[in-house]
Amino acid sequence: MADVVMPQMGESIAEGTIVRWIKKVGDKVERDEPLFEISTDKVDAEIPSPIAGVLTEIRHEEGETVPVNSVVAIIGAGGAKAETPAPAAPKAEAPAPPPARQQGDGSSAPLSASSAPTQTAPPAPKAAPSAAAAESPEEALRQRSSPLVRRIAKEHNVDISGIQGTGLAGRVTKDDILGFIARGRLSGGAPAADAGRPAPASGPAAPAAPAQPAKPAAALAGQSVAMSVMRKKIAEHMIASRRTSAHVHSVFEVNFHRVAQIREAKKAEYERAGAKLTYLSFILKAAVDALRAVPIVNASVDGDTIVYHKAVNVGIAVALDWGLIVPVIKGADEKNLLGLSRAVADVANRARSKQLKPDEVSGGTFTITNPGVFGALFGMPIINQPQVAILGVGAVEKRPVVVDDAIGIRPMAYLSLGYDHRIIDGAVADEFLAHIKKTLENWDPSDA
């Protein structure tokens, strides 16, 4: 038997909200199989089972916010009985007749199915071998959406089954349903399914006036939608960071001509090695080298003490449909350009699929954010506490520049450094950015 606890998904995280139970009381689970989904300010993640066994008890239901390290469920041995039936599993309420016992024994329950916990507790009559196929529409709906999405759907009289989900395993996200509703309003009528899909069976929402279609900017006007757990925590932490650190920003312009040449020459080679060679890969490597050269940027403040970190753990901000997450590349100074390229792709992909582990969103000593991927020339990012600096990367664009007293066209970008003026002076910040600029503009091909 083992306790399942609410994990701490990063520094300063004190609680998490249970978004969805993937398994139910009585379900068999394998070690590391997804058990439930949580949401915090730093990450939405699926939490795996610590051991193989049977889910015998759920102590906190969907929608509850639970302090870290609190027990949320109990996993029993393979032969344990479920102590308390889950409210979301009404099938377990009716006693199972003895003949149904052999149909459920030895069968491995799929993620969304209800199955018998042990040989001593016969399955419910509905738990046939094809339990997944016999899943009720209500149960399927719960698997495809969060409580927030279902509440929005109910408020607007929208059938979620008519929406194409972009989340994990086709799950309908908040952005999916809000976009669905907006498209219906822009068309001057009820929210409609995408082309080729049937209209919701539950009936249309109140139609907008067809003679005056809503403008895109006002598509969601008049709606009140509750903030997600992640969005509320991001807001709290950003305000706290502004109050804690004396924010100052410096901006340098960098010529990426040499990097672009090396990238073009090495791109195919990196793809064969299973990595994508991007400008961010070069910037990350240059930043890591600069952190070693100017160690105070890799520090943090603890009261009246400056803590210089030996490890160089770089967080990479990843934009998600439902918020922002900063997975951390541990030991970044020990990786070459290929290793960093692989690491960036790996953490970004797993962040979007909610597969990050707790220690992968904690322990960062410096952060890089890339608003340039959306076309921004540069950003003025807020420091990720308790760190003391954050690097913002602008879009790499070809611009006319002076090269050896002549006008030339070069790929250029702005790099901005947000830093805590309590411990980092402007001269030190500029030294750090100058180190990055020099490395990028004079890149040694042997380092690629």
Side-chain angles (χ1 to χ4, degrees), residues 249-256 259 278-288 314-318 344 366-382 389-397 399 411-418 432-433 436-437 440:
H249 292 82
S250 291
V251 180
F252 272 47
E253 188 176 28
V254 178
N255 187 333
F256 278 82
V259 166
T278 65
Y279 287 117
L280 182 60
S281 302
F282 288 92
I283 294 167
L284 174 56
K285 182 66 169 68
V288 167
V314 181
I316 304 295
V318 178
V344 169
F366 183 76
T367 297
I368 297 177
T369 182
N370 185 15
V373 73
F374 302 107
L377 290 180
F378 56 84
M380 297 295 181
I382 297 175
I390 181 170
L391 183 69
V393 179
V396 179
E397 297 180 334
R399 290 196 285 269
M412 308 292 292
Y414 295 105
L415 301 183
S416 63
L417 183 72
F432 177 80
L433 284 173
I436 294 177
K437 176 181 172 74
L440 292 171

Side-chain angles (χ1 to χ4, degrees), residues 43-60:
V43 62
D44 282 6
E46 291 181 348
I47 307 304
S49 173
I51 63 169
V54 173
L55 180 58
T56 60
E57 182 182 357
I58 290 177
R59 294 189 178 180
H60 295 277

